[in-house]
Amino acid sequence: MSSDLVLGIDVGGTAIKAAAVTRTGTMREKRVVPTPGGGPKAIAACVAGIARDIQAKAGRAFAVGVGWPTPVDPQRGVVLFDNKLGSAGVNVAALIRRATGLPACIENDANAAALAEYLYGAGRGAGSLVLLTLGTGVGGGIVLGGEVWHGRDGAAGEIGHIKVRPGGQRCLFCRRRGCLEAYAGAQAILRRYRAAGRKAEGMKDIVSAARRKERPAVRVVSEMAEMLGMAVADLANILNPEIVVIGGGVARAGNILFRPIRAAMAREALPNVSKGLRVVPAKLGNDAGLLGAAGCAWKRFGTSASSPTSTTGNRRLRTASSN
Amino acid sequence: MSSDLVLGIDVGGTAIKAAAVTRTGTMREKRVVPTPGGGPKAIAACVAGIARDIQAKAGRAFAVGVGWPTPVDPQRGVVLFDNKLGSAGVNVAALIRRATGLPACIENDANAAALAEYLYGAGRGAGSLVLLTLGTGVGGGIVLGGEVWHGRDGAAGEIGHIKVRPGGQRCLFCRRRGCLEAYAGAQAILRRYRAAGRKAEGMKDIVSAARRKERPAVRVVSEMAEMLGMAVADLANILNPEIVVIGGGVARAGNILFRPIRAAMAREALPNVSKGLRVVPAKLGNDAGLLGAAGCAWKRFGTSASSPTSTTGNRRLRTASSN
């Protein structure tokens, strides 16, 4: 019986999430373990253990895709730079391949999440998608014609650093002024909210306060939505995508966020790109990274008949299908 | 003897430019004629006449590519909307095919110019390119991985409407505030320059005055460059392209424009996307549109062996090469 599973692995700074994933994006035997110290070799060894454990329960996988929290060159499997895990210049795909005995590929985690929403989530069936992920900062990924757009240095999709208010608030990450992240990243929002003398553990508290119409909360949430709308308008004018997906915990806030985002986008983008542009919440939550990593493995090592965008067929070796 | 020429036709609001074009982008028998009134059928008849004339001198062409000054769907050959030539909804590719007897394709003129700079001009050898064209307004085109990116509605590349100064100057085209075009389009610049009580026939006069350090001229040119740099920074953060090419007459101004553009870009974009990003003047001038239209025809109707990105081989039917 030939395998119809890949492994999707999402390596983060604090946790590794993993599961076996079918062609259509169904997860089996999901695991979450702390990221080990000791750099990429220790991580590869840890991934190999998880891979054995998952396959013992879910059945054999034929490939593994890894999401990595740094810019990567997915063609070569190499990390481009890294100030988190000490993996700069390392061929992580080769490490994982040796450790697991499976064909392996890597992708930046934000790009993987974008691919996941495109293949299995809010962007299913769209021709092009931009994902904005709202967390501590603002991440992003771009999928055009079914492929992640990486750019020259694997650095495309730095949507958090679009200038939405030149000369405005200073970005806590890049220290420039007026970046989207300075208005829509949780760290920046919490700092400004607390500076107004208010208390909040996280964005959830601020959104709740905004629902109660508490002034400072309404102000930061309105500003966040306004700036997101401006950035989406720029993306729409530049790329004319079919769908913009907004993920991260705060994206679950619903209309209090999405209504003003859509209004600002429609006001600022040209009518022919804003009309019909869907701006919607992400669907896959915290699983987006591992599902996208699995999607990369399906695209790279599955046959065209078994790739995630196709609806029928079993996996065969890629080389067999290209004859 | 099999043909190794296509026809490139650039249909503008006032003139039609045309030539026979070799695989490597050499033009033969260039013609410029006024655009006839009477809509797309009259234009197709005019193009057929030019095509006969050029081929009588340069030799037979095997296909024709047409640049059109509106958004188009190049797959179907149809004009998407049009307030210039009355061609909305018309299958211009089919009209041209019938009129000339040659396989025909169409492309938006700004996209065609971007493809031309990518294939034959300043972007030769680059993996990805963004073109900004500075004219009355600011146009643009995006080439990613060798292909023009059209977006969902053929409206991608509206770079003139990136918001570089939200709440700033009103855009003369879209009436929104803070568009790049409001700071870098000739119409807007001339209006502001004249409002300062100065006289100028066109951008050339303003650039000359800026070189003489005349204050109002220095101010509008500096602002133009600053805003172009901001827009290029956004493009770099989003797309991480290999090269940004700036065309249009004023792009010939050289360092008075390019030095501050590059400085603003480097200041505003993240270091990993700005480092190594080339920001350079276009090379093909007014021929970019017709060369890009020809490039489309080469890409679409040439074999892979004879396509413009390849260096050897003769034209054969595409169907013959795909076996």
Side-chain angles (χ1 to χ4, degrees), chain A residues 130-172:
Chain A
V130 179
L131 174 70
L132 282 71
T133 304
L134 309 179
T136 309
V138 177
I142 298 170
V143 180
L144 302 177
E147 303 292 330
V148 171
W149 175 250
H150 292 97
R152 186 195 54 180
D153 313 289
E158 287 286 8
I159 292 163
H161 302 282
I162 295 177
K163 297 295 171 292
V164 290
R165 191 63 83 218
Q169 296 283 346
R170 196 175 285 285
C171 178
L172 300 177

Side-chain angles (χ1 to χ4, degrees), chain A residues 264-286:
Chain A
M265 181 281 288
R267 192 187 68 226
E268 297 294 342
L270 293 183
N272 50 330
V273 299
S274 67
K275 204 177 61 179
L277 172 59
R278 288 182 289 155
V279 182
V280 300
K283 277 196 176 161
L284 304 175
N286 288 331

Side-chain angles (χ1 to χ4, degrees), chain A residues 81 149 152-153 155 157-158 161 163-166 176 234 237-240 267-269 272 275-277, chain B residues 81 149 152-153 155 157-158 161 163-166 176 234 237-240 267-269 272 275-277:
Chain A
F81 52 86
W149 175 250
R152 186 195 54 180
D153 313 289
E158 287 286 8
H161 302 282
K163 297 295 171 292
V164 290
R165 191 63 83 218
R176 290 169 178 78
D234 277 350
N237 282 331
I238 294 167
L239 290 172
N240 185 206
R267 192 187 68 226
E268 297 294 342
N272 50 330
K275 204 177 61 179
L277 172 59
Chain B
F81 52 86
W149 176 250
R152 186 195 55 181
D153 313 289
E158 287 287 7
H161 302 282
K163 297 294 171 291
V164 290
R165 194 59 86 217
R176 290 169 179 77
D234 276 350
N237 281 331
I238 294 168
L239 290 173
N240 185 204
R267 194 187 67 226
E268 298 294 342
N272 52 329
K275 203 178 62 179
L277 172 59

Side-chain angles (χ1 to χ4, degrees), chain A residues 241-312:
Chain A
E242 192 164 330
I243 187 165
V244 172
V245 177
I246 302 183
V250 71
R252 287 182 212 118
N255 274 338
I256 195 173
L257 198 60
F258 279 83
R259 204 172 286 153
I261 290 174
R262 291 189 191 110
M265 181 281 288
R267 192 187 68 226
E268 297 294 342
L270 293 183
N272 50 330
V273 299
S274 67
K275 204 177 61 179
L277 172 59
R278 288 182 289 155
V279 182
V280 300
K283 277 196 176 161
L284 304 175
N286 288 331
D287 296 328
L290 87 83
L291 284 168
C296 292
W298 271 109
K299 284 175 71 76
R300 183 121 166 196
F301 302 112
T303 61
S304 61
S306 65
S307 79
T309 45
S310 157
T311 51
T312 57

Side-chain angles (χ1 to χ4, degrees), chain B residues 97-154:
Chain B
R97 187 173 64 238
R98 261 178 260 135
T100 61
L102 293 171
C105 56
I106 62 169
E107 178 56 276
N108 165 262
D109 55 359
N111 289 341
L115 185 66
E117 292 291 344
Y118 172 85
L119 293 172
Y120 311 121
R124 246 171 119 155
S128 50
L129 168 151
V130 179
L131 174 70
L132 282 70
T133 303
L134 310 179
T136 310
V138 177
I142 298 171
V143 180
L144 303 177
E147 303 292 331
V148 171
W149 176 250
H150 292 96
R152 186 195 55 181
D153 313 289

